[in-house]
Amino acid sequence: MSRRGGYAGQYLRVDLSSREVVAAETPEALRLRYLGGNGFGVRILWDEVSPAVDPLSPGSDLILATGPLCGTAWPTSGRVEAIAKSPLTGIYGDANAGGAFGPELKRAGYDFVVFTGCADRPVWLWIDDGRPRLLDAAPLWGLDTVETESSIRRACADERVMVACVGPAAENGVRYASIQASPNRSLARTGVGTVMGAKRLKAVAVRGSRPVPVAFPKEFARLARSMNERIRKNEFYPSISRHGTSGLVSVVNEIGRFPTRNFQSGDFSAAERIAGEALRRDHWIEDFGCFGCPIRCDKVFRVASGESAGAVTSSLEYETLNAFGAAVGNDDLPSIIRANERCDRLGMDTISAGRSIAFAFELYEKGILSAADADGLELCWGNYRAMLELVEKIARREGIGDLLSLGVREAARRIGRGAEEYAMEVKGLEIPAQDGRAQQSMGLAHITSSRGADHLKAFPTIDETGSPNEVERRYGAAYLPEIADPHATKYKPFLVKDGEDYGAVVDSVGVCKSGGTFVMAEIYWPDLAEGLTYATGVETTPDGLRTVGERIYNLMRAYNAVHGITRADDRLPRRFKEEPSPSMGARGEVAHAEEMLDEYYALRGWDPVRGWPTAHTLARLGLSDVAERLEVLQHG
């Protein structure tokens, strides 16, 4: 095949220190070997950001990257990736969001942007249909993300401009600050917004009119229509389309996997009061969706009366309902809507913020923190007023908020007195709203994730839903029933590895994996390979695509290895391993994640002692240069 498509063809390199903006051709080798998105990002980090570089220094890179399916007719093709060395964890970091910013960046002429250096005063980047320039952001500094986006659109005299910006949390150095992208989507995890704020880069605004090229338009359009139809026929489509991920609250609570009071249990007695049904019944305004999405899982919610009256938000996900709900013992739904609104406007990850607050609440319960330590706040379970005050204090880094802005690992280290026992994190990243005691694959996914505790890298869902249809569609009937049993460990290392490799590809091509399990369950290796073939004009096979996924994930692990990560870091907090779950379907279970590591490492071709990719594995994946660097590090 000789036709080429799927890419804008150029990228930008922006040196904020010198204010030099240079466009260059997107390297063919990068496209073929890493696809886009986090594939591009991890290769650039490996080449340019060493262990000696502080994540918040001018030598640290920030990459905003799209993929070859982003902006096309492929379903859920609105994703954009931010990649940087994480100031929260000190290792590989990334975040992903939908909306329309990614497609607009491609239509403006660029596949990705690399930011280096640090501006001497606040700036924003304006990309006007292939014409990039840096502009003064001093009037924008201090504004929240909604105010920033509105101000930029007024300055551009165009309401269609798409904006990715940071808020006060990033400006103040909160370690888990987010980047908010139009329309109101969050690149939230690992502190990518903190890196952007440290560079004094307030925003990136894009407007473009160039179509995204597709190599074989007729064949691609036919396949894209077929994928859209399959998604609409998926058994979970009606619920996810109506409720979004908030519809998971009741289901997950029943299986004992809904973290409550900082993971003390996995079910919340008042779950129905904060579930998707209550949210839609009492606060729903309208549905909307990201670019190219047939699911339209996003919603707008408003609080009409009470203490939180006037709060309006969208993108209120399952994770946030847990982080500001069950995690802190709070069943006041309007206060959760308010907390989500404030985090979005301040530019802050709701997962890490909520987990940091839950951590503080448990320290208060255990007598490790007093009211005096907490600026006079009573950090009692369910005290949503204290929760909302802590959100503001964290963003301002004021009082106890300054401590909690560092994340639970560093906060626990500074507090001492046994606080580490209650820091629910892996590799410095706060654990999201899953409990590895109730779903063994998720416990393993939390400890092997490339960015620390995470559910979306491997995204195991089959044993969450227990759907035999999903198992047979993806793996065949031979894997039943063990793979669908959430408490069984058989086949779970395979499930996690396969999900990580596929997830690396999904995050690199620019489509969504979390829209109600659809991409991961309904669209699989053969479908994605065929779509990439028609989009790019490069013959792509499922096996070849698997190799790309493995290459990306192994390079992430290698990057973490040079930063000191070993098998010893692939661990869950003691609570999950030694305290049997008291909850629902998970009652009596403990997490067996670390017991599965030998099998997982064997499947990956990693050294069983260090947990590093072996030289043989890296050579097989075309990463011999990476192997050489690890060899030097290992043997001095």
Side-chain angles (χ1 to χ4, degrees), residues 45-111:
L45 287 188
W46 177 266
D47 291 338
E48 299 184 11
V49 184
S50 73
V53 174
D54 185 289
L56 301 181
S57 71
S60 187
D61 289 358
L62 172 67
I63 304 109
L64 295 177
T66 69
L69 295 182
C70 177
T72 69
W74 193 265
T76 75
S77 58
R79 310 301 288 191
V80 65
E81 193 91 10
I83 307 98
K85 185 175 176 179
S86 169
L88 179 63
T89 66
I91 58 175
Y92 172 82
D94 68 24
N96 184 288
F101 178 87
E104 199 71 16
L105 178 60
K106 283 182 76 173
R107 286 199 294 257
Y110 303 104
D111 295 310

Side-chain angles (χ1 to χ4, degrees), residues 2 68 109 117 199 225 232 239 253 300 382 442 495 586 599 604:
S2 58
K199 292 184 174 301
R225 283 195 299 271
R232 289 190 175 93
S239 174
N253 192 65
V300 177
M442 195 63 83
L495 178 65
E599 183 180 350
R604 278 243 170 260

Side-chain angles (χ1 to χ4, degrees), residues 19-213:
R19 306 244 175 161
E20 184 178 34
V21 181
V22 177
E25 183 177 351
T26 302
E28 184 176 13
L30 199 62
R31 297 198 310 266
L32 294 176
R33 291 169 57 79
Y34 298 99
L35 293 174
N38 66 8
F40 284 1
V42 71
R43 185 69 229 193
I44 294 167
L45 287 188
W46 177 266
D47 291 338
E48 299 184 11
V49 184
S50 73
V53 174
D54 185 289
L56 301 181
S57 71
S60 187
D61 289 358
L62 172 67
I63 304 109
L64 295 177
T66 69
L69 295 182
C70 177
T72 69
W74 193 265
T76 75
S77 58
R79 310 301 288 191
V80 65
E81 193 91 10
I83 307 98
K85 185 175 176 179
S86 169
L88 179 63
T89 66
I91 58 175
Y92 172 82
D94 68 24
N96 184 288
F101 178 87
E104 199 71 16
L105 178 60
K106 283 182 76 173
R107 286 199 294 257
Y110 303 104
D111 295 310
F112 63 102
V113 185
V114 182
F115 295 96
T116 63
C118 176
D120 58 358
R121 59 186 182 275
V123 296
W124 61 286
L125 178 66
W126 171 219
I127 305 175
D128 182 11
D129 220 6
R131 297 180 296 275
R133 52 189 174 132
L134 286 168
L135 300 172
D136 178 32
L140 304 176
W141 205 252
L143 298 183
D144 71 28
T145 60
V146 174
E147 293 166 339
T148 299
E149 182 176 286
S150 297
S151 295
I152 286 175
R153 284 177 167 171
R154 285 196 300 271
C156 298
D158 190 343
E159 287 297 311
R160 296 168 298 174
V161 169
M162 296 295 139
V163 179
C165 65
V166 295
E171 297 171 3
N172 294 333
V174 174
R175 294 296 176 90
Y176 40 83
S178 64
I179 302 170
Q180 297 297 120
S182 304
N184 198 33
R185 304 300 292 176
S186 303
L187 297 125
R189 302 236 70 192
T190 73
V192 291
T194 317
V195 176
M196 188 164 164
K199 292 184 174 301
R200 299 190 184 91
L201 176 64
K202 180 64 175 178
V204 181
V206 292
R207 186 76 176 100
S209 61
R210 308 175 187 193
V212 176

Side-chain angles (χ1 to χ4, degrees), residues 473-491:
R473 182 164 52 240
R474 289 176 61 174
Y475 306 121
Y479 286 92
L480 287 170
E482 289 92 344
I483 203 168
D485 180 355
H487 305 305
T489 58
K490 190 175 183 180
Y491 301 130

